[in-house]
Amino acid sequence: MAQRAHSSPTLHDVAREAGVSLATASRSLNGSTRKVNEEYRARVLAAAERLGYVANLSAQTIAKGTSSTLALLVSDIADPYFAAIAAGVLSGAEQAGLITTMGITQRSAERELDLVKTLRGQRPRVLILTGSRYVDAALDEALTRELQAFESTGGRVVMVSQRSLPFDTVQTDDYGGARDLAESLVDQGYRSFAALTGVSSLMTARDRLAGFRDGLAAHGLSLPDERVVETEFTRQGGYDGAGQLLSRGLGDAELLFAVNDVMAVGAMSRLREESVDVPGSLAVAGFDDISTARDVTPALTTVRLPLERVGAAAIELALAGQRGDEPTLVTLGGEVVLRTSTPARG
Amino acid sequence: MAQRAHSSPTLHDVAREAGVSLATASRSLNGSTRKVNEEYRARVLAAAERLGYVANLSAQTIAKGTSSTLALLVSDIADPYFAAIAAGVLSGAEQAGLITTMGITQRSAERELDLVKTLRGQRPRVLILTGSRYVDAALDEALTRELQAFESTGGRVVMVSQRSLPFDTVQTDDYGGARDLAESLVDQGYRSFAALTGVSSLMTARDRLAGFRDGLAAHGLSLPDERVVETEFTRQGGYDGAGQLLSRGLGDAELLFAVNDVMAVGAMSRLREESVDVPGSLAVAGFDDISTARDVTPALTTVRLPLERVGAAAIELALAGQRGDEPTLVTLGGEVVLRTSTPARG
DNA sequence: CTGTTAGCGCATTCAT
DNA sequence: ATGAATGCGCTAACAG
């Protein structure tokens, strides 16, 4: 009667309360192949209800030797990019009956490695790593070893948006999206371009720039090197980059492509300050379709990535059969969204 | 030698490899009061390293009877509001050495209750519930019972931004922020106002409107009822609400207050379409300081909430000593951010 | 179909 | 200081 504080009722308590054996209680409550007399079953359920019994997941994990956990590593959950992916992963995990535990790497390779070690302690069924790869070869190698060890004990690892390590990967088609964007802009009548790109060590920035270039090339156009500014991958970077471009002189550039929306927004801010009319004097396009994109003036042309689906795809990949010898690569395409920052050009 | 697939090395393996007893291995690896011969200790560590041993967290949890887990429930992780709070919780949890598992309620009270039940299975030390309360009394009661049961077994629960249930709560000072905003705007020279508010069942919307009203009242001003439009808490709601307001006629209104930024942004969009100059003909202010706020034209005046600190405060509260008889209420204030959507008025 | 028993991996008494 | 033995809560043979 006296429910001791600091201790939940156990299966044992339920069994006693219901007047059945431990095994019967277990089978009624959690057993898969149910072969329990309906009466007993009801008694057990009632007892559990009465006692407020909740099965101890750790004990179950230990006993059956397999957990129902998924671990998700993210660079920064406050970043809408990762938040969207996480949303996809979380809802997919829940549908699969998995509980997900989450870790934030803060874009640090050391922390990422530490978190992998820590989270492995949970014996998760799946480990999903999201975010750009870093450049530290030693850490990459240590991480790879850790992940391989994890796989060798039956775990599955899926990388998201980073295809450099030998594991199953889901990525967005940054190259293709940028190429499509370039072609759409050529269709709109643009012929002369400038670009703001992130530091070239960022694969994302590289792919997007390359795609944009190739899209232009498909129409016999090109992006002159002197009209490409390499700067930070941030709003401030876009702001600064636009400044640099202006001081170099825009030449005949009709459109400025920034490799992501926050840079584009920063650039627009700078252009406004410098009284460069957008899109009249210079059109602007970005990449990502952040929510701000449609609310700036003029609304920003960009490429939308199916971020939630990326998360969902990661789970599907993880749960779909055994890993092959070669890592699987899933690529999800984006979609060009034309807005008023790049009106059709007479 | 042959490492069986699908099975991690256990402490037993490590002990054997190091030629010591299970107990010694345990003490060397995880024991708190370390009284292990330095030589043995080194042997154990080396063996663990060699085998790639990672302690099984579930087993530890079972053995010591206390977990190192925190469970976090969030309405929608893709929503920047919750993402920011989650970021605060996650980093706080990690500092406290807690692993956090996350669940998404999708703004459904049923799902919230289900998730609480599921997550209780983990025996988390702390359970943090984020998001607006719902109106279903029956579910609220069931949830309360579940949470009280959880507390009675030693768990801690903290509610974030919903003070209606009898548990420790961290909330933002919506009322105070709106009041401060109103006073700042009066200082800027505004005297006549209109407002867009969410459905009145939303506590947040109510508090903000009430604060705004009281801030005006402090200066002998008021918000006439016919200038208050109740609409959806979304961008579309703001867009529609602004339309309604215009068709009613703005009268002498100089400034439009929307109870959140997305509504304000929607309203600005509508105003632009209707050729109402912002801020020339009508100034606009919002609430939340979403990242879009400073990138719209004109940049939006608003109130910034310390969302990450809210998350951090939730953890502090949960980890700070025992619960008192009365639930603790922590309130974090916001900060008025004046931008060009509300210039000083001659 | 039900109950008994033996682990799961680990921490922690209790002896030594 | 170390090792052997016990138990955490539960599932899964195993017998009945």
Side-chain angles (χ1 to χ4, degrees):
Chain A
M1 145 142 291
Q3 173 72 32
R4 257 197 321 285
H6 285 242
S7 123
S8 308
T10 76
L11 190 59
H12 192 155
D13 299 330
V14 175
R16 194 156 34 78
E17 172 87 8
V20 301
S21 77
L22 231 178
T24 301
S26 172
R27 290 193 268 253
S28 313
L29 255 16
N30 321 303
S32 43
T33 40
R34 37 143 125 176
K35 325 171 185 178
V36 176
N37 182 304
E38 199 41 61
E39 187 195 325
Y40 279 9
R41 179 187 203 68
R43 286 227 308 260
V44 171
L45 261 41
E49 175 67 32
R50 211 173 315 134
L51 264 39
Y53 171 76
V54 179
N56 185 318
L57 240 162
S58 295
Q60 291 189 146
T61 298
I62 279 273
K64 26 172 91 154
T66 131
S67 84
S68 54
T69 297
L70 173 149
L72 171 64
L73 253 51
V74 157
S75 299
D76 171 12
I77 191 61
D79 181 326
Y81 181 89
F82 294 112
I85 293 175
V89 170
L90 289 185
S91 76
E94 197 196 320
Q95 282 182 19
L98 296 178
I99 287 186
T100 120
T101 92
M102 199 147 132
I104 307 296
T105 68
Q106 292 174 174
R107 299 188 162 78
S108 150
E110 280 98 343
R111 284 181 49 75
E112 184 180 44
L113 183 55
D114 281 351
L115 280 168
V116 168
K117 286 180 181 165
T118 303
L119 261 23
R120 276 193 65 191
Q122 302 231 43
R123 301 289 185 273
R125 282 232 277 271
V126 179
L127 189 45
I128 298 182
L129 310 215
T130 304
S132 304
R133 290 283 70 232
Y134 312 94
V135 284
D136 190 317
L139 281 170
D140 253 19
E141 201 184 318
L143 179 63
T144 299
R145 249 199 310 274
E146 193 76 23
L147 293 177
Q148 280 171 340
F150 176 65
E151 279 191 329
S152 79
T153 60
R156 297 277 305 210
V157 3
V158 176
M159 315 286 276
V160 171
S161 79
Q162 46 191 27
R163 68 196 146 177
S164 57
L165 265 31
F167 302 97
D168 288 349
T169 300
V170 178
Q171 64 178 9
T172 50
D173 186 9
D174 289 281
Y175 172 89
R179 194 194 49 217
D180 291 350
L181 174 63
E183 300 209 42
S184 295
L185 294 172
V186 171
D187 283 351
Q188 293 285 93
Y190 293 92
R191 292 292 176 269
S192 179
F193 305 84
L196 258 34
T197 184
V199 285
S200 57
S201 63
L202 261 176
M203 204 117 53
T204 308
R206 277 217 303 260
D207 289 348
R208 291 178 182 180
L209 191 60
F212 195 81
R213 282 201 143 107
D214 288 358
L216 297 184
H219 295 265
L221 299 170
S222 70
L223 187 59
D225 285 339
E226 68 273 20
R227 297 266 183 68
V228 177
V229 174
E230 184 176 312
T231 172
E232 293 293 307
F233 212 55
T234 61
R235 184 185 192 282
Q236 184 65 44
Y239 182 92
D240 295 343
Q244 281 184 46
L245 215 48
L246 289 177
S247 59
R248 285 189 196 176
L250 247 31
D252 63 348
E254 302 159 350
L255 183 144
L256 172 61
F257 167 56
V259 294
N260 71 31
D261 284 352
V262 296
M263 292 177 72
V265 165
M268 284 172 72
S269 167
R270 181 59 171 271
L271 293 172
R272 188 177 310 116
E273 283 180 23
E274 307 278 351
S275 300
V276 175
D277 180 46
V278 175
S281 305
L282 185 66
V284 175
F287 203 110
D288 281 343
D289 196 25
I290 63 176
S291 73
T292 301
R294 73 166 175 178
D295 288 319
V296 290
T297 311
L300 184 64
T301 286
T302 185
V303 177
R304 178 182 306 149
L305 261 21
L307 263 14
E308 290 223 13
R309 268 197 286 143
V310 167
I315 295 221
E316 287 168 21
L317 194 51
L319 266 31
Q322 286 311 303
R323 244 204 77 160
D325 294 352
E326 286 302 295
T328 305
L329 178 61
V330 173
T331 303
L332 264 36
E335 175 192 1
V336 174
V337 182
L338 291 175
R339 296 207 180 92
T340 50
S341 69
T342 62
R345 203 177 152 84
Chain B
M1 148 138 289
Q3 174 71 34
R4 257 197 322 282
H6 284 243
S7 123
S8 308
T10 75
L11 190 56
H12 192 137
D13 299 330
V14 175
R16 195 156 34 77
E17 172 88 8
V20 301
S21 77
L22 230 176
T24 301
S26 172
R27 291 193 269 253
S28 310
L29 255 16
N30 322 301
S32 44
T33 40
R34 36 142 125 178
K35 326 172 187 174
V36 176
N37 182 306
E38 200 40 61
E39 187 195 325
Y40 279 10
R41 176 185 206 70
R43 285 224 310 257
V44 171
L45 262 41
E49 174 68 30
R50 210 173 317 134
L51 264 38
Y53 171 76
V54 179
N56 185 319
L57 242 160
S58 295
Q60 291 189 146
T61 298
I62 278 264
K64 31 172 83 152
T66 126
S67 84
S68 53
T69 296
L70 173 148
L72 172 63
L73 253 51
V74 158
S75 300
D76 172 13
I77 191 61
D79 181 328
Y81 181 89
F82 294 112
I85 293 175
V89 169
L90 286 173
S91 77
E94 196 196 319
Q95 282 181 20
L98 296 178
I99 286 184
T100 119
T101 93
M102 198 145 133
I104 307 296
T105 68
Q106 291 175 174
R107 300 190 161 77
S108 150
E110 280 98 344
R111 285 181 48 76
E112 183 180 44
L113 182 55
D114 281 351
L115 280 168
V116 168
K117 287 179 180 165
T118 303
L119 263 21
R120 275 192 67 191
Q122 302 232 42
R123 302 289 185 273
R125 284 233 276 271
V126 178
L127 189 44
I128 298 183
L129 309 217
T130 304
S132 303
R133 290 283 73 232
Y134 312 94
V135 284
D136 190 317
L139 280 170
D140 253 19
E141 201 183 316
L143 179 62
T144 300
R145 247 201 309 275
E146 193 76 21
L147 294 177
Q148 280 171 340
F150 176 65
E151 279 190 330
S152 80
T153 59
R156 298 277 306 212
V157 3
V158 176
M159 314 287 277
V160 171
S161 79
Q162 45 191 27
R163 69 198 144 177
S164 57
L165 265 31
F167 302 97
D168 288 350
T169 300
V170 177
Q171 64 178 9
T172 49
D173 187 8
D174 289 281
Y175 172 89
R179 195 194 50 219
D180 291 350
L181 174 63
E183 301 211 42
S184 295
L185 294 173
V186 172
D187 283 352
Q188 293 284 93
Y190 293 92
R191 294 290 176 270
S192 180
F193 305 84
L196 257 36
T197 184
V199 285
S200 58
S201 63
L202 259 176
M203 205 118 54
T204 307
R206 278 218 302 260
D207 289 348
R208 291 177 182 180
L209 190 61
F212 195 80
R213 282 202 144 105
D214 288 358
L216 297 184
H219 295 266
L221 300 171
S222 70
L223 187 58
D225 285 338
E226 67 274 20
R227 298 265 182 69
V228 177
V229 173
E230 184 175 313
T231 171
E232 292 293 307
F233 212 56
T234 61
R235 184 185 191 282
Q236 184 65 42
Y239 182 91
D240 295 342
Q244 282 184 46
L245 216 47
L246 289 176
S247 59
R248 284 187 199 179
L250 248 32
D252 63 348
E254 304 159 349
L255 184 145
L256 172 61
F257 168 56
V259 295
N260 70 31
D261 284 352
V262 296
M263 291 177 72
V265 166
M268 285 173 69
S269 168
R270 181 59 171 269
L271 292 172
R272 189 176 310 118
E273 283 180 25
E274 307 278 351
S275 300
V276 176
D277 180 47
V278 176
S281 304
L282 184 66
V284 175
F287 203 109
D288 281 342
D289 196 25
I290 62 176
S291 73
T292 301
R294 72 168 175 176
D295 287 319
V296 290
T297 311
L300 184 64
T301 286
T302 185
V303 177
R304 177 182 308 149
L305 262 22
L307 263 15
E308 290 223 14
R309 267 197 285 142
V310 167
I315 294 223
E316 287 167 22
L317 194 51
L319 266 31
Q322 286 311 302
R323 244 205 78 160
D325 294 352
E326 286 302 297
T328 305
L329 179 61
V330 173
T331 303
L332 264 35
E335 175 192 0
V336 174
V337 181
L338 291 175
R339 296 207 179 92
T340 49
S341 70
T342 61
R345 202 178 152 84

